[in-house]
């Protein structure tokens, strides 16, 4: 069976649903395979790109997650969750200084102005 066909088969809505099923089943690599084609097709939509970034994050494809998150943040600088996730992704890559910058912005967007230490006390649930 041609697995490429399986991941690319169907309408965008069907592929979105399939990707969500893979993601919910914690098969993040399969979700990313479905979503990568979908994101190319619907580049202007944030939802599929954000789920793709989350899939990359969970499957430890951190550079790919970072790239997708940067696209989202560039298009929508006040997209709180993408900003938070970008900070966490950069942290996992050992890029603390840049991560803290994004985490502070995410905290400000969430209305959390109490933290002076540079750390962020936001709940992060990438699932």
């Amino acid at each position: 069976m041609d697995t490429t066909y399986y991941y690319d088969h169907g309408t965008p809505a069907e592929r979105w649903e399939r990707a969500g099923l893979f993601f919910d089943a914690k098969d993040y690599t399969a979700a990313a395979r479905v979503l990568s084609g979908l994101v190319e097709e619907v580049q202007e939509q944030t939802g599929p790109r954000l789920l793709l970034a989350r899939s990359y994050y969970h499957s430890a494809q951190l550079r790919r997650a970072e790239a997708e998150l940067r696209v989202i943040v560039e298009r929508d600088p006040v997209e709180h969750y993408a900003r938070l996730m970008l900070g966490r992704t950069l942290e996992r890559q050992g890029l603390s200084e840049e991560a803290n910058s994004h985490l502070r912005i995410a905290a400000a967007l969430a209305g959390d102005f109490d933290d002076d230490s540079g750390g962020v006390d936001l709940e992060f649930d990438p699932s």
Side-chain angles (χ1 to χ4, degrees), residues 71-102:
V71 169
I72 295 168
V73 167
E74 182 178 311
R75 289 181 182 172
D76 186 1
V78 296
E79 169 49 63
H80 164 260
Y81 191 73
R83 189 69 79 163
L84 174 62
M85 204 174 152
L86 178 56
R88 296 294 187 223
T89 301
L90 292 168
E91 272 184 337
R92 282 184 64 185
Q93 294 179 77
L95 302 170
S96 299
E97 189 173 322
E98 186 179 2
N100 285 338
S101 171
H102 289 285

